[in-house]
Amino acid sequence: MDKWKMQWNCLIAPTRVPGVWKRKGGGHLVRARIVDPSTGRKREIRKVLPEADLATAYQWLTDQRDLVRAGRVVAQLPKTRFADFALSVLEFKVEQGHLKSAKSVERWKHTLEHLIGGTVTADEARHVPGLGDYFVDQIRPEHVEDWRAGIVGLIRAGEYSPNTANGWLSILRVIAQEAKRRFKLPEVFTDGVPDFDTSEHVTYPEEAPNSLTSEQVPRFLAVLRELYPAHYAMTYLGLATGLRPSSMRPLRRSGLTPDVLWEQRRLLVRRSQTIGEVPMNTTKQRTRYAIDLPEEVMAVLKWHANTQLVTPQQAESELLFPAVTGGYRAPTVLNKPFAEVSDAIGLGYHFTQSGMRRTFNDLARAAKVEAIVTRSISGHLTERMQHHYSTVRPDEQRESIGRVVDLMTARRSQKSASGTPSEPASSGESGTHRVASGTHGGTQPPASGTQNEKAG
């Protein structure tokens, strides 16, 4: 009884092995101090091994000494659950400014609901459990594979898009990389887990391309101007420049730092607003740039500023497209107008706000605008993204194949010899070469007396 003593919060007694003590409650406690070569200072190794015998305890202590001498950090992993750790990663990214927009934060929060609590079908018939209860250091790729298999079932049932699920998986990979870094894990628990297959998922089929042809654009704008004049200029600008609605909503027409430079006919694209009243002081692509506008576009913007800001709050606001309260328009503000106008012109498919960006790329291509100029206007950083927001029309393919056939059959040289043009005029060359001039019903802005019903 005399050999037991209370130390390090345990009743222990020495053994014949230095650094190893027997615990009165069972097992052993090990402790040593050794110089860490990475700092040149002594560090303590101490751990309670409640199930270990003397030999096992000594072996564990020896292994830890070797790790320190090799310059590896020894850390006892805290038992942190995935739910707590994932939320801490989100907080860290917000504090460090890695997630700048409110929409990005909302996307993370929504994703963590699925990763932590699980995903349930609309009728609650099926539930795919999340990873929230797992300890971070105990998650293995097999656990992620099991989660993925459950989500695949929901995708096949039509409950979720594989693109949506891949967004969840991308955030899970970020969390897994951070877990490996913070806890010195031997592997990233998402390693080897593939993306969800999107090969059979068509976002915009041929029957519903979410884009307007050059013939449909004037009709769409004319009806929109009649039914929703307050939204005409924003839509016109979106079709003429390919700007995202999130970049158009925070545009300032006045104030100390206006984004519309009326005299220079220049638009400064340098902010983005998604959710809330605080915009991000950069665009979604993390860039700032300027667009020099033709007089036709400036005339529409001036008409809007002079005639469509009808409430006192709108008149006092610095914004170019303020809501009736003077603040930012809601991200969904164009949804209802676009749906009604699409029905009115018999479009036959759903045309959304992102369709303005797709339509701009198609119109620019038809107008023979150089790709590098198109990207400088729309803000696309890569040719790949420009292609992603484009819809190749049948007449473009026919004309292009026709040019190939000309070369194949020597028709071009025959045409030249006969005095006829060697190359047929393209469908885009018969009209204007400026996208802005051909995207509304007439080159003049609406009359100032246009009714304001449904201005919203």
Side-chain angles (χ1 to χ4, degrees):
M1 294 293 296
D2 294 337
K3 65 182 180 179
W4 298 107
K5 66 177 180 177
M6 177 64 69
Q7 193 167 0
W8 301 305
N9 296 321
C10 289
L11 272 174
I12 58 174
T15 67
R16 65 179 184 275
V17 179
V20 181
W21 283 262
K22 183 176 176 127
R23 291 177 72 242
K24 188 171 185 180
H28 291 79
L29 179 144
V30 295
R31 179 185 182 273
R33 288 176 61 82
I34 188 170
V35 175
D36 184 345
S38 62
T39 63
R41 297 180 179 179
K42 284 189 175 183
R43 65 178 301 127
E44 181 184 46
I45 302 172
R46 186 177 69 204
K47 187 174 180 66
V48 173
L49 304 170
E51 305 294 332
D53 58 20
L54 181 62
T56 302
Y58 179 69
Q59 185 61 53
W60 188 92
L61 182 61
T62 301
D63 292 342
Q64 295 304 308
R65 282 172 171 160
D66 291 342
L67 288 176
V68 173
R69 291 190 180 104
R72 291 182 55 181
V73 176
V74 179
Q76 297 179 20
L77 296 182
K79 288 299 180 183
T80 305
R81 296 193 188 277
F82 177 82
D84 298 324
F85 178 71
L87 291 172
S88 73
V89 173
L90 172 58
E91 292 174 1
F92 173 78
K93 287 189 168 295
V94 173
E95 290 173 357
Q96 296 298 312
H98 298 159
L99 299 177
K100 292 185 178 297
S101 73
K103 188 173 182 179
S104 296
V105 175
E106 285 297 315
R107 174 173 172 256
W108 263 73
K109 289 181 178 178
H110 175 73
T111 298
L112 293 187
E113 290 177 4
H114 290 274
L115 296 179
I116 293 172
T119 305
V120 66
T121 57
D123 57 3
E124 299 185 357
R126 295 184 60 186
H127 176 251
V128 177
L131 304 170
D133 288 339
Y134 285 96
F135 290 120
V136 174
D137 62 313
Q138 296 301 313
I139 301 178
R140 299 290 180 264
E142 304 86 69
H143 298 134
V144 182
E145 287 281 10
D146 289 343
W147 169 81
R148 183 184 181 280
I151 300 299
V152 167
L154 300 185
I155 293 173
R156 289 175 178 168
E159 297 285 344
Y160 291 93
S161 158
N163 294 318
T164 299
N166 278 330
W168 301 342
L169 187 55
S170 67
I171 289 180
L172 180 59
R173 287 179 176 136
V174 172
I175 297 171
Q177 288 284 355
E178 187 64 18
K180 182 179 187 298
R181 185 186 71 82
R182 287 197 198 178
F183 298 124
K184 307 298 186 294
L185 300 180
E187 64 178 352
V188 177
F189 55 72
T190 54
D191 277 354
V193 179
D195 282 347
F196 294 92
D197 181 24
T198 61
S199 61
E200 296 184 3
H201 179 77
V202 181
T203 304
Y204 299 121
E206 288 187 16
E207 297 80 6
N210 197 25
S211 177
L212 301 175
T213 66
S214 55
E215 293 79 18
Q216 292 168 332
V217 168
R219 291 163 49 208
F220 187 93
L221 283 171
V223 176
L224 180 71
R225 183 178 65 194
E226 179 182 352
L227 297 180
Y228 292 93
H231 301 309
Y232 174 79
M234 185 175 182
T235 304
Y236 182 97
L237 183 63
L239 291 169
T241 63
L243 282 177
R244 294 181 175 87
S246 60
S247 293
M248 291 190 287
R249 287 194 297 271
L251 289 174
R252 295 161 293 197
R253 73 182 194 280
S254 60
L256 296 176
T257 55
D259 303 304
V260 183
L261 307 182
W262 300 98
E263 296 299 324
Q264 296 95 318
R265 294 189 299 179
R266 170 168 276 214
L267 196 65
L268 302 180
V269 185
R270 51 186 177 177
R271 301 203 302 170
S272 178
Q273 185 271 336
T274 52
I275 301 173
E277 293 298 314
V278 181
M280 185 170 64
N281 285 318
T282 183
T283 63
K284 182 180 178 181
Q285 312 97 307
R286 305 293 177 90
T287 60
R288 292 180 167 197
Y289 62 101
I291 303 175
D292 291 290
L293 299 172
E295 186 54 48
E296 297 93 332
V297 179
M298 294 301 300
V300 171
L301 298 183
K302 290 176 183 176
W303 165 84
H304 173 82
N306 292 334
T307 67
Q308 298 303 304
L309 307 183
V310 295
T311 69
Q313 295 92 333
Q314 286 179 314
E316 294 174 3
S317 175
E318 296 181 353
L319 298 176
L320 178 62
F321 303 117
V324 292
T325 59
Y328 295 106
R329 285 179 171 176
T332 58
V333 70
L334 295 179
N335 290 358
K336 181 180 178 182
F338 278 21
E340 288 193 17
V341 173
S342 298
D343 289 341
I345 67 174
L347 189 60
Y349 55 85
H350 192 44
F351 182 68
T352 69
Q353 297 184 60
S354 63
M356 293 190 291
R357 198 162 172 82
R358 301 180 67 84
T359 300
F360 165 75
N361 277 288
D362 296 344
L363 293 176
R365 196 170 59 255
K368 306 302 180 186
V369 178
E370 291 287 343
I372 188 172
V373 178
T374 300
R375 290 197 294 274
S376 75
I377 297 171
S378 67
H380 281 134
L381 296 181
T382 64
E383 186 175 357
R384 175 178 170 274
M385 287 307 299
Q386 182 184 354
H387 290 172
H388 178 72
Y389 281 91
S390 300
T391 304
V392 178
R393 300 289 178 182
D395 58 337
E396 293 182 85
Q397 292 184 334
R398 292 191 190 101
E399 180 185 340
S400 299
I401 295 174
R403 293 178 180 177
V404 174
V405 172
D406 283 349
L407 295 176
M408 291 168 53
T409 60
R411 286 201 308 228
R412 175 172 298 191
S413 59
Q414 292 171 6
K415 291 176 185 176
S416 299
S418 63
T420 57
S422 62
E423 184 177 0
S426 68
S427 60
E429 291 173 343
S430 59
T432 178
H433 283 255
R434 272 193 308 212
V435 180
S437 300
T439 54
H440 68 296
T443 57
Q444 297 301 318
S448 61
T450 303
Q451 60 184 354
N452 283 291
E453 292 96 280
K454 301 184 182 179

